Amino acid sequence: MEKSLAELNKAASRSTSSLPPEPVDIIRSKSCFRRVRLNVGGLPHEVLWRTLDRLPRTRLGKLRDCNSHESLMEVCDDYNLEENEYFFDRHPGAFTSILNFYRTGKLHMMEEMCALSFSQELDYWGIDEIYLESCCQARYHQKKEQMNEELKREADNLKDREGEEFDNACCAEKRKKLWDLLEKPSSSVAAKILAIISILFIVLSTIALSLNTLPELQGTDEFGQSTDNPQLAHVEAVCIAWFTMEYLLRFLSSPNKWKFFKGPLNVIDLLAILPYYVTIFLTESNKSVLQFQNVRRVVQIFRIMRILRILKLARHSTGLQSLGFTLRRSYNELGLLILFLAMGIMIFSSLVFFAEKDEEDTKFKSIPASFWWATITMTTVGYGDIYPKTLLGKIVGGLCCIAGVLVIALPIPIIVNNFSEFYKEQKRQEKALKRREALERAKRNGSIVSMNLKEAFARSAELMDVVVEKSERPHDNHLSPSRWKWTPKRATSETSSNRSFNAQELGSPSKGRPTSPQRLNVQKLEEMYNQMAKTQSQPNFNAKDRVSRVGKQRDEIELGAIQDHGPPVLGTREGVGDMKSLSSIDSYISCATDFQENPRFLHSPALDLGHQESNCYSYSPATALSQHASAKTGQRTAGEREPMLTPVPVTKSSCTETARKFFFSGNSSKSLTPKGGCHSEGESGPSPLSDSSVMSDHSLLSPGTSVYTTASSRTPPKTPESTTLAPTVFTFHDSSISKYIDADTDDDEHLRDISDTSPSERLLASGSPKRNINKNYQRGANHLEAAQKMLGQNCLFPLEGIRGITHENHIGPEMARRPKVERGRQNTLDKGL
Amino acid sequence: MWTVPKPRYRAGLCAEGEIAVNIGGVRVVLFGDVLNRYPDSRLAELLNCSSQNAEVISSLCDDFDPGRKEFYFDRDPDAFKCIIDVYYFDEIHIKSGICPICFIKEMEFWKIDQSVLDECCKSYLNEKEEELKEIASKVKVILEDMEVEQCTTRTQRCQRFLWKLMEKPGSSLPARVIAIASFLSILVSAVVMCVGTIPELQVTDADGKPVEHPTLEAIETTCMLWFTAEFLLRLASSPNKLHFVLSIMNIIDFMAIMPFYVVLSLTYLGTSSMMELANVQQAVQALRIMRIARIFKLARHSSGLQTLTYALKRSLKELGLLLMYMGVGIFVFSALGYTMEQSHPETLFRSIPQSFWWAIITMTTVGYGDIYPKTTLGKCNAAVSFLCGVIAIALPIHPIINNFVVFYNKQKVLETAAKREVELMELKSGREARRKSRN
């Protein structure tokens, strides 16, 4: 491990410190070796150049033709001419099968590969999926179709949710409340009670309906016809009144009237109410002619339609809904079942007719008459009103029984499969929704703080321990950056204007503030604790989002006052941005946990956070990142191999007005704090390890605007604000965030904190003293990074002076594939939060 | 096995009697005597030819590094790690994740016989190969369709056109219309057959016997004419007549048409010749039953029915099992029921064959109630027979269902796979052609 580390360092220093190699050198190197070493995500491969020539238009084929540094960098991520090694920052598992395609001409797919991820890899390497061998193709397309279907369903769900916007009309607030009350039983106690009452009314009305037909309870009207029992009629009227009221309220509060009208559940509601009114209308308008049989019959039909109200229960039962959905989805199989049955009935009824028709006094008078017998026999009901009597008829009957059992049993497992799949999905969504709502609620009333206060304090104490320890051996620090440096995988394809960067730069107010963790002594921590307690005692300080935002703004303004070049206006804006990012982080976390829960999302290419109103772009190289992450950790940190998801969404607003960005790492082994990143950068200064400039750029860009949350390590990130003015606010937020994570990720979490808390804290501790010195340096990096961004993607930029390697993010394919769904979801989440 | 020296990965220079190979970047040092256990394999050949003959070496491996005495192979290292096991354990297991078809290719490259593959992996391989065969057959069908354009003579082209029109409803709009018309005529004729038996709709002929309504008769005749025309066109246009005649679908078609003409000729003969009228009537009756066969014609238009027939064909063994279980159960329980009911004076079980009926109805849980036990012992027997019947049906039915579900799910996937395979072949042939033209 050490060795490979050294090697890579060497490679890094080559590409950063020296000039790019001349084309002559590259050509010479290529002609020197017959073979080439390909390092894909840390896994070395060796292949003949000749082999790569077989597919000249793929990425590896192009590698052969590239003779200049720039074109080479476009194709691969890094290379080393002396070692004849080319590095690609991709999933090593998929590459094995792709390389075999060059060797054998047969493209097979690794069994355990996710089809979606594999297709992305194929895109990256420039190979068409059509080359996939037929043995693997079936599986591949099956999975892909499945995936697409699920994404489509997800999109529909999101569209539904997105439709719930209340910003268009009057008294939106109240309508939203009413809507929540009526439509979301889990949103509050009142809503739950309302739902239960509604269920009770449904049950009551159905019971009344059935009791009404009992002859003992019926009365007779003037024509001698039986009428309703007066008591039961009252019950009926009350129930109908309730249903009507409910329906009308729902209709009034619904955000989209037409969609509401169309919704299947609401159609059922309407059908449950309407018959009553139609009956009343008919009887009242035809009072004089009621004796006519026709009117009576119509009324009877409408009375029967009242039974439809039992379907109203579907609103309150997921099971019933999924049953309905299953039937809708498997109409193909249902059709098959009916076809089988129909054919069986046809065949056996005609057979039994011919067998039995000569019998005297037979009930098999014609083929249609024996349909009934065949149906009853095939479904093995067997009333016994018709049965064959001749020997031939009995043989036919026996065959009919067995065939019926077979034919009915065949298509049912497919339907059952559909049902169970949908039911599982429904359950999952329900859980996710509940979690999100809980998050919202907890955020609203800030109740989580009180629970977490003690824990937060304990954590701060831990931090202090580390601080003390670190101050004793400060030379350990240089190890840390190597750990962090791979984290900031980000989209280099981001297009951002320099202006926004400047704004951010300006907006990073407390960069120059010298704060050292050594000052964080016990006294200070106790102070923090007290402050926290105070915060908690002031319920309105963080009780509401708005309030907290106000508080934040105040903080920001004060910060602006402290440092000279930060205009207060910017500060305020940052405050807003900060809130946004915080809320998005929350939503992101909930999102991410969803993904963790659901394995198919592990490779989901899109985890992005979008802000609607600032129409910002967000890229999420999630797949690539997780692959990078696992590979890199494996290479670099011997101990901390955690091949887990590293969703790193980077939201970049191109608008100059709301120039903010945040960065959030959900990974444990790479949980980072912004300052930590840049401090370590400064600390290790010109050392070859510091090619993590991107990350430091990140951090320096926006101490105020960016919030780096360590998703798993519960370290409260020490943003500059926390040291200057109100540490409480941030610890507060963070602890709450981490608490959410606690609640959400449950089991994964505990594994992680053990190994991860310490490094991040170490970083925190070690970095701070140098902040002052690094200021200018970081500025420079900032500009450079901006330039670098404009240059494009897939490139390795040797930034002079700064050893910054932007590790390529081949975001193109992911972006193209990224379902819009995800953004939509984020949007709604942001809205909701 | 631990006595056999293991291969050394990433070792230094090899000693005497050892051979260093580099398989796609993974360097392995192997012992010569171990490799010689399979003298036909590529590695053993490489060892034996030694380093004298450069040509032989380059034919065996892709690259040779004389300095490090390292042979380079441009192959999959993962598969090699599995294949090398054969020298130590005499058997190979496919590493999970590697496609077995791909693995077999690797084994061929290393010149190792497929028989050393272990049983556990062989079944998996067979499964895949079967799938491939199915895809291949589908591809063949598609390719056959595409060959239409290559017909030379005019009659042949006509025949092709007709064939497509009749057999491939997806090929053109007229073909689709014909398919729908044929489907509807099947339905109509089936309905007519059923309705014709209703006594109220029948009319009496001169002899006072009920015969079908003339309107229904006319419809029936029209349908039959349509069927006949369809069948004849199909037969005329089929490229392989023998194949056509032997196929099940066409036999069903023939069976659906044939009774009509036989009845027609019989009635004609019956009235004109001396044949006895009663005999003719009986024969006509028997043939009428065969008209039911036309319902099976629906199978041509429904993939679900085809799947069903396929599943039933595949699970003939299980069906036999089902019938055997039922048969045994029926015998046992009817005999038991008969003996136990003997004590009752007004028993419904008059003989064992008669109680067969009761046993069937009970075991399939239909229960008409025309025969039922009256004694206590008989009732206990009925309960047991009912339980046994449920089990006897449920057990063999499961594999049948499984077959059906698997095939049902696979059908669509295979279809798309076959289509893609054809595309790939086109692509490859196109590339080949381009390469040739370039050369």
Side-chain angles (χ1 to χ4, degrees), chain B residues 132-259:
Chain B
L132 273 186
K133 252 181 236 155
E134 275 166 30
I135 291 175
S137 67
K138 284 217 157 98
V139 166
K140 226 172 93 189
V141 170
I142 294 175
L143 284 183
E144 267 172 15
D145 292 350
M146 287 163 68
E147 273 164 16
V148 175
E149 287 77 30
Q150 289 149 18
C151 297
T152 44
T153 62
R154 196 168 164 197
T155 47
Q156 251 180 335
R157 223 177 301 146
C158 261
Q159 196 184 359
R160 274 291 174 188
F161 175 73
L162 217 63
W163 177 250
K164 260 177 110 175
L165 201 67
M166 303 308 292
E167 289 278 340
K168 311 276 181 233
S171 64
S172 65
L173 188 70
R176 185 167 300 224
V177 170
I178 286 176
I180 290 171
S182 146
F183 180 78
L184 285 179
S185 66
I186 293 168
L187 280 187
V188 166
S189 74
V191 167
V192 163
M193 185 184 82
C194 297
V195 169
T197 58
I198 297 175
E200 289 86 46
L201 290 178
Q202 285 175 339
V203 289
T204 48
D205 63 354
D207 306 335
K209 290 220 170 199
V211 291
E212 276 182 19
H213 200 275
T215 325
L216 294 178
E217 199 88 52
I219 295 171
E220 167 82 10
T221 314
T222 322
C223 283
M224 277 338 263
L225 284 177
W226 168 259
F227 289 153
T228 317
E230 199 187 2
F231 183 76
L232 288 179
L233 275 178
R234 248 175 239 222
L235 181 68
S237 69
S238 81
N240 188 344
K241 300 282 190 288
L242 188 73
H243 194 259
F244 180 86
V245 169
L246 287 181
S247 104
I248 294 173
M249 288 319 291
N250 297 319
I251 290 174
I252 288 173
D253 277 8
F254 183 69
M255 299 267 283
I257 303 165
M258 198 244 333

Side-chain angles (χ1 to χ4, degrees), chain A residues 84-102:
Chain A
N84 189 33
E85 185 168 305
Y86 296 83
F87 178 74
F88 295 88
D89 215 353
R90 300 299 293 190
H91 188 345
F95 185 69
T96 317
S97 33
I98 284 162
L99 195 60
N100 278 343
F101 177 49
Y102 286 88

Side-chain angles (χ1 to χ4, degrees), chain A residues 59-105:
Chain A
R59 185 174 283 264
L60 285 178
K62 275 184 205 147
L63 188 69
R64 175 76 159 128
D65 302 329
C66 290
N67 289 331
S68 68
H69 172 74
E70 283 77 24
S71 57
L72 216 51
M73 285 325 287
E74 256 172 45
V75 174
C76 68
D77 298 320
D78 197 5
Y79 62 93
N80 188 337
L81 291 182
E82 289 88 56
E83 296 276 325
N84 189 33
E85 185 168 305
Y86 296 83
F87 178 74
F88 295 88
D89 215 353
R90 300 299 293 190
H91 188 345
F95 185 69
T96 317
S97 33
I98 284 162
L99 195 60
N100 278 343
F101 177 49
Y102 286 88
R103 286 170 177 152
T104 61

Side-chain angles (χ1 to χ4, degrees), chain A residues 188-208:
Chain A
S188 67
V189 181
K192 203 168 273 178
I193 290 169
L194 221 63
I196 290 169
I197 290 173
S198 180
I199 291 173
L200 286 179
F201 267 113
I202 295 167
V203 172
L204 186 71
S205 72
T206 12
I207 289 172

Side-chain angles (χ1 to χ4, degrees), chain A residues 207-346:
Chain A
I207 289 172
L209 193 71
S210 347
L211 283 181
N212 230 339
T213 58
L214 276 182
E216 293 90 54
L217 293 177
Q218 280 174 342
T220 48
D221 59 2
E222 63 261 42
F223 303 111
Q225 299 279 354
S226 56
T227 56
D228 297 350
N229 187 313
Q231 274 94 45
L232 288 174
H234 286 314
V235 171
E236 173 80 13
V238 169
C239 287
I240 284 293
W242 170 267
F243 292 151
T244 314
M245 194 188 73
E246 204 185 7
Y247 184 79
L248 285 179
L249 281 180
R250 261 187 234 272
F251 184 73
L252 284 179
S253 67
S254 78
N256 186 341
K257 303 279 188 264
W258 176 237
K259 217 167 92 193
F260 176 85
F261 194 71
K262 273 194 306 184
L265 287 176
N266 301 317
V267 169
I268 288 173
D269 279 6
L270 199 64
L271 282 181
I273 304 165
L274 272 186
Y276 185 79
Y277 292 108
V278 172
T279 317
I280 286 179
F281 173 75
L282 281 178
T283 44
E284 290 305 315
S285 63
N286 301 316
K287 201 103 204 188
S288 50
V289 287
L290 197 61
Q291 60 270 44
F292 291 139
Q293 209 56 38
N294 299 353
V295 178
R296 187 166 287 280
R297 195 162 287 167
V298 169
V299 168
Q300 279 299 328
I301 286 169
F302 276 108
R303 283 172 71 95
I304 287 161
M305 271 180 74
R306 282 196 219 159
I307 206 63
L308 281 174
R309 72 184 55 154
I310 197 78
L311 291 178
K312 270 169 73 78
L313 279 179
R315 188 187 287 281
H316 305 284
S317 152
T318 326
L320 268 177
Q321 275 170 30
S322 33
L323 181 69
F325 188 85
T326 309
L327 292 184
R328 212 166 8 156
R329 231 179 67 162
S330 41
Y331 64 92
N332 233 335
E333 287 79 24
L334 278 177
L336 207 63
L337 179 66
I338 289 167
L339 179 73
F340 285 175
L341 264 182
M343 275 189 67
I345 287 167
M346 204 89 151

